[in-house]
Amino acid sequence: MARKIAVVEGDGIGKEVIPVAVKALEKVRDDLDFFPVDVGCTRWNREGVAIDGNDIEALRSADAILFGAITTPPDPSYRSVVVRIRKELDLYANVRPVHANGVSVTVVRENTEGLYAGVEEITPERATTLRIITRKGSERVARFACGIVQPGETLTIGHKANVIKADTLFLNTCREVAESLGVQYQDRYIDALCLDVLMHPGRYPVIVTENMFGDIVSDVTAYLAGGLGMLPSANIGDRYALFEPVHGSAPDIAGKGIANPSAAILSAALLARHLGDDDSAVRLEKAVSSVIASGNVTPDLGGNATTESMGRAILAAL
Ligand code: ATP
């Protein structure tokens, strides 16, 4: 039976890299039924609305979502589109794997609470954003992270419980979940972890942390993979799943045709794996690494290829 894939190109380089990822998926599978969902700043400029309830319903109707990047509309009252999607689809685990140069580090970022919970009050004199940590939110993301720890590996809980009281709940809940599942764990202060994961990546096969810390530490781990153009992610909930590059819409290079399409194609590989198709995922990952090894790469990786020519080489490798 055909699987329905919602495609959100979004804004900026999302419009450049996602079409390449769709073509790559079409090369490895002939049973995917793609349909576009137009949300983001381009739509906001046109219609004054970046996303509405019908779009959320369209996303809910898909077996999986392939997502580019969204520029937040320049209206201070507007809430981030992707944060809304993550909340409405309850995509509570943001998984950001780095497999490169012999190391493997996966960051599992809690995706629905923390500073992104949207509990804010702004006055001319004082601005407050509450950092919400709940037992339920911590428990389910810890359970997910424990599920991807391989035998013999250690889960690392990233936190700042020595200073931020809310993190004590996150840390203790993660510890309890790991103990109940028999998963070996350690904990690290997030700031120290940002340095040590670069110095000793082999010590951190799986890191679980709250929303904002996860955003930061996964950009840090992007260094291990060669930059943001290389990093895919999966946003997983109990019912829905969305796959997107870690990078944003990159306004500084949008329209120049030089965005690295690898993160988008590797996100497509995670999507294939989510559909239970490991073979296609491995084919996509191998095609990307063979083109990178050939040196036919975009400027962020030191080459002078374009999105189009690097994409064409990856499609040819498939
Ligand atoms: P956001 O707030 O959505 O994370 P941002 O502009 O802060 O957006 P990115 O869009 O991720 O962050 O861009 C950060 C930097 O990385 C920019 O200089 C951008 O050009 C570069 N970059 C991001 N993605 C790519 C890519 N696929 N190829 C090449 N360079 C990239």
Side-chain angles (χ1 to χ4, degrees):
M1 203 177 69
R3 312 296 289 268
K4 286 176 70 185
I5 310 296
V7 178
V8 179
E9 291 182 0
D11 303 309
I13 64 169
K15 290 187 186 303
E16 301 169 38
V17 296
I18 291 299
V20 186
V22 170
K23 283 193 193 127
L25 276 172
E26 282 172 338
K27 277 256 177 196
V28 294
R29 290 183 63 129
D30 58 10
D31 64 337
L32 299 181
D33 197 356
F34 295 97
F35 66 97
V37 180
D38 177 20
V39 302
C41 198
T42 314
R43 162 131 174 242
W44 184 82
N45 287 333
R46 209 177 52 235
E47 299 176 16
V49 175
I51 184 168
D52 61 28
N54 290 337
D55 302 315
I56 298 286
E57 279 320 305
L59 296 174
R60 286 198 174 119
S61 75
D63 291 298
I65 303 160
L66 184 62
F67 190 94
I70 301 272
T71 308
T72 299
D75 171 351
S77 66
Y78 223 94
R79 303 263 316 128
S80 157
V81 167
V82 71
V83 170
R84 175 166 174 196
I85 294 172
R86 285 173 184 158
K87 280 196 96 168
E88 296 225 17
L89 273 55
D90 206 19
L91 303 171
Y92 59 82
N94 185 319
V95 189
R96 298 178 164 193
V98 172
H99 303 289
N101 310 313
V103 298
S104 169
V105 177
T106 297
V107 176
V108 180
R109 164 189 177 190
E110 200 293 320
N111 219 9
T112 59
E113 32 188 62
L115 287 169
Y116 294 69
V119 188
E120 298 180 303
E121 188 186 87
I122 314 286
T123 72
E125 300 306 321
R126 193 180 135 107
T128 314
T129 299
L130 281 184
R131 190 163 175 279
I132 312 288
I133 305 282
T134 67
R135 176 175 292 282
K136 177 187 165 202
S138 307
E139 217 166 66
R140 62 186 185 173
V141 78
R143 195 169 288 281
F144 184 93
C146 286
I148 59 172
V149 174
Q150 299 299 308
E153 287 182 352
T154 300
L155 172 72
T156 301
I157 307 162
H159 67 94
K160 197 72 182 166
N162 53 333
V163 179
I164 301 173
K165 291 282 175 288
D167 270 21
T168 310
L169 179 60
F170 183 80
L171 172 61
N172 289 342
T173 307
C174 289
R175 282 176 170 154
E176 283 163 26
V177 170
E179 271 164 31
S180 73
L181 296 174
V183 170
Q184 192 170 305
Y185 66 90
Q186 58 188 352
D187 71 273
R188 291 285 181 276
Y189 296 139
I190 194 71
D191 46 349
L193 181 59
C194 282
L195 175 61
D196 209 42
V197 74
L198 295 183
M199 296 180 70
H200 306 106
R203 294 178 185 169
Y204 305 105
V206 183
I207 296 169
V208 64
T209 187
E210 67 83 53
N211 208 336
M212 171 64 90
F213 291 164
D215 193 22
I216 295 170
V217 76
S218 58
D219 273 25
V220 170
T221 57
Y223 176 77
L224 299 167
L228 276 175
M230 294 304 304
L231 226 59
S233 77
N235 294 267
I236 309 282
D238 290 333
R239 291 184 59 187
Y240 307 105
L242 178 152
F243 302 84
E244 60 173 337
V246 168
H247 63 71
S249 58
D252 55 334
I253 58 164
K256 295 187 179 160
I258 52 165
N260 182 348
S262 301
I265 296 170
L266 294 172
S267 300
L270 296 180
L271 185 154
R273 193 164 278 127
H274 177 76
L275 297 179
D277 182 1
D278 222 37
D279 286 353
S280 295
V282 170
R283 282 180 65 196
L284 291 163
E285 286 159 357
K286 283 195 171 151
V288 169
S289 36
S290 72
V291 170
I292 286 169
S294 77
N296 184 4
V297 293
T298 42
D300 57 305
L301 297 180
N304 49 26
T306 60
T307 310
E308 209 270 319
S309 64
M310 186 173 174
R312 210 172 340 107
I314 294 171
L315 295 176
L318 284 168

